[in-house]
Amino acid sequence: MSFADIDSVDQYLADLQTRIVTSFAGFESHERFRGKRGGTVATTDTRTQPMVLEGGNTFDKAAVMYTRVRGEHLPTSVSDRRPDIAGAPFEAVSLSLITHPRNPFVPTVHMNLRFFLVATEQPVWHFGGGYDLTPAYPFAADAIHWHRHARAAVEAVYPGSYQALKQACDAYFTIKHRGHTRGVGGIFFDDWTRGGFATCFEFIKSIGERFLPAYLPIVRIRQGTPWHEEHKRFQRLRRGRYAEFNLVLDRGTRYGLESGRRTESVLASLPPQADWAYDWHPSQASHEALLETQYLSPQDWLT
Amino acid sequence: MSFADIDSVDQYLADLQTRIVTSFAGFESHERFRGKRGGTVATTDTRTQPMVLEGGNTFDKAAVMYTRVRGEHLPTSVSDRRPDIAGAPFEAVSLSLITHPRNPFVPTVHMNLRFFLVATEQPVWHFGGGYDLTPAYPFAADAIHWHRHARAAVEAVYPGSYQALKQACDAYFTIKHRGHTRGVGGIFFDDWTRGGFATCFEFIKSIGERFLPAYLPIVRIRQGTPWHEEHKRFQRLRRGRYAEFNLVLDRGTRYGLESGRRTESVLASLPPQADWAYDWHPSQASHEALLETQYLSPQDWLT
């Protein structure tokens, strides 16, 4: 593999998209994923393959978005930090996914894996991404299972690094104005070059390969839980918090909207329904109350 | 009245809040407005009187928020523009309201009236605010009625100024990433000192007094329109756009969240329910399609 080989990353992420879509579709009684009308969207500088499922039996919404972009000039968000390569052409490839499950006891999941390359004489590149889990009705067993896989994914390539990436995830996915994290976290990294391209790519694959084993067992265990309208209502209120994070704070979303990317792709992460109720609080010691008091502040799940 | 008399503005806005709350409550079969538990919220530097109605017959939500703040030091958002008064103590008073009507044929309305004062030896002050109308199902007659009142409110104090304030409203309430305005507009102004304090205060009162005559006739005409779940669904999709504007773009909301104001008050404008559907488009020539094609780009309603 050559140095900073974007085509190999592209191929891996595109294949991973297919495998995840196939796997998610297996939870539905009939295929509901659809791409943009006519399939792949291609312009001279962008090739996207958005795959979105709505109104399924298991998933109210699942969006698994693949994008490859070629740009003539670096976005200022990058060149501000790297004036030495300002104005250079760049390429980027990313896989971004989210689920909004139908059963309120099944947690929402998010994963993003991306690679950015400026193919100047001395190539400049980095990886970024991570994954995190957001339950409405939390279970310690799920958070532990999830973090065991996150730790394994990191430690397989960078022994001793899980804790730092776990803390970066808690820090990034904090809804500051609410005073709590978005969910029970996972791992997060950006501007990632540690060990060189081949090692970083192994790391991306280590995360990618552990995504389905980390998430699907939780879906299988929780999807049979009986639920009523009151549980769905609470899930919609939590989806309101999710929308707040994505629209107010998420850097990828804000950058996507400001830079004029395809809005429907940038906002594919938004929940199908979100509720807001003024000054609403769950009753004390309810399962709903446990979420904020016991799950939405950073803690060690594996000790 | 003395120069830059904040207590008079305070008194006017607090009284206007009471009148609007009483008027809105008259549309409901029983009183549903509630303030923060125990009524007025007062800390050493802030007095707020949030009045929020939820689940009414006419309004799914109506929030009419009064706030008076005293701060020891100017927020950087102001002192960045006015370094000469950086660090000075300040006072601010505001009335902010929004409705999310139950009937999808009744438009959402928003009004904000605010006064900001730095009581230095040479007092520095300005007014700001405006009002704008956001239908899901638009009617030209409603937009014309609304803008007639907006024009009258402006022209009574500043002859010939409606057009500029109307354009400022269209510019401010544009959802850039969607390529359309939030609604059919109204008027908008900021850093407003034209003609001195007494004239500006007359202007605020001119807007305030015309708010109910501008909005209530529209509520009365439209609230009897029969509606079905498909209309409610479209209303919820439009509320998604409203939430996008408020969370991504609205300066007041973003400033409120970043500066650590009471989050429930800052986000009281959010809809009770919002929907997002991936790449959804209304069928051609439907009433739903008319909204974006004929109403959500700036136009002259009064010529």
Side-chain angles (χ1 to χ4, degrees):
Chain A
M1 181 191 310
S2 72
F3 181 68
D5 176 8
I6 191 168
D7 291 328
S8 295
V9 181
D10 180 332
Q11 200 174 350
Y12 175 73
L13 294 180
D15 175 67
L16 182 59
Q17 180 193 33
T18 303
R19 286 186 284 144
I20 290 172
V21 163
T22 304
S23 175
F24 284 178
F27 282 84
E28 301 296 334
S29 54
H30 58 284
E31 172 64 73
R32 287 171 187 265
F33 270 96
R34 64 189 179 102
K36 172 78 180 166
R37 294 159 186 135
T40 298
V41 182
T43 65
T44 47
D45 57 354
T46 304
R47 184 164 56 88
T48 69
Q49 177 62 278
M51 294 296 288
V52 180
L53 172 159
E54 284 175 303
N57 303 316
T58 299
F59 300 110
D60 280 346
K61 185 179 192 179
V64 189
M65 321 295 277
Y66 160 90
T67 308
R68 181 162 179 173
V69 182
R70 293 169 211 263
E72 300 218 349
H73 304 291
L74 275 180
T76 52
S77 61
V78 176
S79 58
D80 282 353
R81 291 176 295 159
R82 293 294 305 261
D84 52 315
I85 52 172
F90 69 97
E91 289 188 80
V93 57
S94 78
L95 177 64
S96 193
L97 73 82
I98 192 163
T99 65
H100 291 289
R102 184 169 173 223
N103 188 316
F105 291 89
V106 178
T108 277
V109 76
H110 163 256
M111 177 169 76
N112 178 253
L113 297 172
R114 60 185 183 270
F115 178 67
F116 181 88
L117 171 68
V118 182
T120 43
E121 206 164 322
Q122 284 291 325
V124 174
W125 56 268
H126 64 256
F127 288 88
Y131 52 26
D132 66 294
L133 192 74
T134 307
Y137 288 93
F139 297 90
D142 295 354
I144 291 165
H145 170 86
W146 175 254
H147 275 274
R148 278 196 181 131
H149 279 272
R151 182 173 62 183
V154 175
E155 301 287 317
V157 182
Y158 301 110
S161 292
Y162 158 73
Q163 197 60 30
L165 273 64
K166 186 259 183 210
Q167 287 169 359
C169 187
D170 289 333
Y172 182 78
F173 291 106
T174 291
I175 308 177
K176 295 176 190 69
H177 59 268
R178 295 293 189 180
H180 60 70
T181 56
R182 184 167 81 171
V184 298
I187 51 173
F188 178 86
F189 56 101
D190 203 358
D191 289 323
W192 194 263
T193 60
R194 191 190 302 176
F197 176 79
T199 302
C200 289
F201 189 17
E202 282 309 304
F203 179 44
I204 289 293
K205 287 190 277 194
S206 182
I207 297 172
E209 295 310 303
R210 274 182 182 84
F211 170 73
L212 290 171
Y215 185 53
L216 296 191
I218 300 173
V219 177
R220 285 193 199 101
I221 284 173
R222 301 300 165 202
Q223 71 174 344
T225 312
W227 57 270
H228 309 289
E229 171 53 27
E230 73 201 68
H231 302 112
K232 198 70 186 166
R233 164 70 164 165
F234 183 64
Q235 184 194 48
R236 289 197 305 267
L237 290 167
R238 301 314 304 183
R239 286 174 174 178
R241 300 291 174 97
Y242 209 93
E244 286 177 27
F245 178 85
N246 286 21
L247 294 172
V248 176
L249 296 166
D250 185 59
R251 292 200 291 259
T253 303
R254 298 194 64 82
Y255 168 72
L257 295 180
E258 286 166 12
S259 64
R261 295 247 174 119
R262 179 171 174 267
T263 296
E264 286 297 330
S265 291
V266 175
L267 297 185
S269 65
L270 290 175
Q273 295 194 300
D275 286 8
W276 282 272
Y278 177 69
D279 207 20
W280 184 88
H281 301 280
S283 47
Q284 231 180 341
S286 62
H287 198 166
E288 290 82 359
L290 284 185
L291 178 65
E292 284 194 31
T293 57
Q294 297 195 15
Y295 286 83
L296 299 189
S297 48
Q299 60 192 284
D300 265 325
W301 291 105
L302 302 182
T303 53
Chain B
M1 182 190 311
S2 71
F3 180 69
D5 176 7
I6 191 168
D7 291 328
S8 295
V9 182
D10 180 333
Q11 199 174 351
Y12 175 72
L13 293 180
D15 175 67
L16 183 60
Q17 180 193 33
T18 303
R19 286 186 284 144
I20 290 172
V21 163
T22 304
S23 175
F24 283 177
F27 282 83
E28 301 297 334
S29 54
H30 58 281
E31 171 65 72
R32 286 171 187 266
F33 270 96
R34 64 190 180 101
K36 171 76 181 166
R37 296 166 185 127
T40 298
V41 182
T43 64
T44 48
D45 57 355
T46 304
R47 185 163 55 89
T48 69
Q49 178 62 279
M51 295 295 288
V52 180
L53 171 158
E54 285 174 303
N57 302 316
T58 300
F59 299 109
D60 280 344
K61 186 179 190 179
V64 189
M65 321 295 279
Y66 160 90
T67 308
R68 182 163 179 173
V69 181
R70 292 168 211 264
E72 300 218 349
H73 304 291
L74 275 179
T76 52
S77 61
V78 177
S79 58
D80 282 353
R81 291 176 296 158
R82 293 294 304 263
D84 52 315
I85 51 172
F90 69 96
E91 289 188 80
V93 57
S94 78
L95 177 64
S96 194
L97 73 83
I98 192 163
T99 66
H100 290 290
R102 183 168 173 226
N103 188 317
F105 291 88
V106 178
T108 277
V109 76
H110 162 255
M111 178 169 76
N112 177 253
L113 297 172
R114 60 186 183 271
F115 178 67
F116 180 88
L117 172 69
V118 181
T120 42
E121 206 164 322
Q122 285 292 323
V124 174
W125 57 267
H126 64 256
F127 287 89
Y131 52 26
D132 66 294
L133 192 73
T134 306
Y137 288 94
F139 296 91
D142 295 353
I144 291 165
H145 169 86
W146 175 254
H147 275 276
R148 276 195 181 131
H149 279 272
R151 181 173 63 185
V154 175
E155 302 286 316
V157 181
Y158 301 110
S161 292
Y162 158 73
Q163 197 60 30
L165 273 63
K166 185 258 184 212
Q167 287 168 359
C169 186
D170 288 334
Y172 182 79
F173 292 106
T174 292
I175 308 177
K176 295 174 191 72
H177 60 269
R178 294 293 188 179
H180 60 69
T181 57
R182 185 168 80 171
V184 298
I187 51 173
F188 178 86
F189 56 100
D190 203 358
D191 290 321
W192 195 264
T193 59
R194 192 190 301 176
F197 176 81
T199 302
C200 289
F201 189 19
E202 281 311 305
F203 179 44
I204 289 294
K205 287 191 276 194
S206 182
I207 297 170
E209 294 310 304
R210 275 183 182 83
F211 169 74
L212 290 171
Y215 185 54
L216 297 190
I218 299 173
V219 177
R220 284 193 200 99
I221 285 172
R222 302 298 165 202
Q223 70 174 346
T225 312
W227 58 271
H228 308 287
E229 171 53 25
E230 72 201 69
H231 303 111
K232 198 70 186 168
R233 164 69 165 165
F234 183 64
Q235 184 194 49
R236 289 196 304 267
L237 289 167
R238 302 314 304 183
R239 286 174 174 178
R241 301 290 174 96
Y242 208 93
E244 286 177 27
F245 178 85
N246 286 21
L247 293 173
V248 176
L249 296 166
D250 186 59
R251 292 200 290 259
T253 302
R254 296 193 65 82
Y255 168 71
L257 295 180
E258 286 166 14
S259 64
R261 297 248 174 119
R262 179 171 174 267
T263 295
E264 285 298 329
S265 291
V266 175
L267 296 185
S269 65
L270 290 176
Q273 295 193 300
D275 286 9
W276 282 273
Y278 177 69
D279 206 23
W280 184 89
H281 302 280
S283 47
Q284 232 181 339
S286 62
H287 198 168
E288 290 83 358
L290 284 184
L291 177 66
E292 284 194 32
T293 58
Q294 298 195 15
Y295 287 83
L296 299 189
S297 49
Q299 59 193 285
D300 265 327
W301 292 105
L302 302 181
T303 52

